[in-house]
Amino acid sequence: MDDVERARQILAEERQSIDNIDAALVNLLAERFRHTQRVGRLKAEHGLPPADPAREQDQVARLKALAKESGLDPVFAEAFLRFIVTEVIRHHEQLRRDDGA
Ligand SMILES: C=C(O[C@@H]1C=C(C(=O)O)C=C[C@H]1O)C(=O)O
């Protein structure tokens, strides 16, 4: 096997690992959203606010520490969490509107 062939084989193996991880991420995100939807329904039913900035602050601090330990850029970890939380809050606002309708 020449060098290019070997490189192609490694590329295919790495891409298989990436695909597996992407599938796991999607499954985990779906599971997370199932929980946050339950939280959103609970909040809507009891008149609690969709967003909880204090809780978010704790989560950001915890995830940034975890990211540092794992060798992941903590700035990226924070941006990723904020991206998800923004979507969750949008869902919770929608649930509140649905509940009030
Ligand atoms: C899920 C919640 O609602 C919002 C979304 C959060 C999240 O996605 O982790 C955290 C805090 C809230 O702003 C919650 O209050 O726990």
Side-chain angles (χ1 to χ4, degrees), residues 23-92:
L25 281 174
V26 166
N27 286 326
L28 283 172
L29 273 175
E31 177 70 10
R32 190 184 198 279
F33 274 103
R34 280 192 282 276
H35 286 285
T36 58
Q37 283 298 91
R38 286 200 279 273
V39 168
R41 280 194 289 273
L42 199 67
K43 286 177 173 178
E45 282 164 17
H46 298 278
L48 296 167
D52 184 341
R55 160 83 174 145
E56 290 168 28
Q57 244 182 0
D58 289 347
Q59 287 167 284
V60 167
R62 179 171 166 270
L63 272 202
K64 284 175 94 170
L66 281 172
K68 275 181 209 158
E69 282 172 26
S70 304
L72 180 71
D73 179 358
V75 175
F76 171 78
E78 178 174 2
F80 183 62
L81 182 70
R82 290 211 182 278
F83 180 69
I84 295 167
V85 171
T86 298
E87 180 68 1
V88 170
I89 292 169
R90 201 177 64 77
H91 293 174
H92 287 189

